[in-house]
Amino acid sequence: MRILIVEDEPVIALEIEAIVLDRLPDAEISIATSVKAAFEVIDDTVSLAFLDIDVADGKTYSLALELRLRHVPFVFVSGANRDDAPDGLAEERLVPKPFAAREITQQLEALAREADGEAN
């Protein structure tokens, strides 16, 4: 399973990665610090994603819409306000920052079930 983490704060990205690998030790993790970098690494092998909303080069909404088109489940992990989110993205899953490890684990399990459902 390949998991994308889009987060421009290295400590937070590494924390999410550690939580994911604790639950799924064989997962392949790709970390991107910007929307541009994330678009460079997404392909058909990305199974699910954790997205900060505000990153180095703007908001991840365009990436979220692309993931939605590709049927890749994702969750926002952010302290940002989603009032300006386009196309129903304000209703997508959100883990607010600061987060507890169990919140990431719960979302990981939900996203993995959804990703498995899409694959079947």
Side-chain angles (χ1 to χ4, degrees):
M1 176 173 284
R2 184 155 169 248
I3 298 171
L4 173 64
I5 299 170
V6 182
E7 173 60 65
D8 59 351
E9 293 292 331
V11 172
I12 296 172
L14 292 173
E15 183 177 2
I16 294 170
E17 179 183 37
I19 294 166
V20 168
L21 290 174
D22 184 57
R23 190 79 174 123
L24 299 172
D26 295 331
E28 179 186 333
I29 308 290
S30 294
I31 297 176
T33 60
S34 67
V35 175
K36 182 180 182 215
F39 270 109
E40 290 173 2
V41 299
I42 63 169
D43 58 25
D44 292 336
T45 66
V46 171
S47 303
L48 56 94
F50 291 88
L51 309 176
D52 187 5
I53 292 174
D54 292 308
V55 293
D57 61 350
K59 296 193 182 294
T60 59
Y61 295 140
S62 61
L63 178 63
L65 292 170
E66 180 63 26
L67 291 171
R68 185 190 280 170
L69 285 172
R70 294 176 183 222
H71 305 286
V72 175
F74 64 90
V75 61
F76 290 115
V77 180
S78 182
N81 184 333
R82 296 185 296 170
D83 288 344
D84 61 345
D87 297 323
L89 290 178
E91 305 305 318
E92 291 290 342
R93 294 179 178 106
L94 171 72
V95 173
K97 289 180 185 175
F99 55 81
R102 67 175 164 69
E103 294 174 293
I104 298 297
T105 300
Q106 289 170 343
Q107 289 300 322
L108 174 62
E109 291 170 358
L111 293 172
R113 281 192 304 271
E114 191 175 326
D116 285 343
E118 290 290 340
N120 294 331

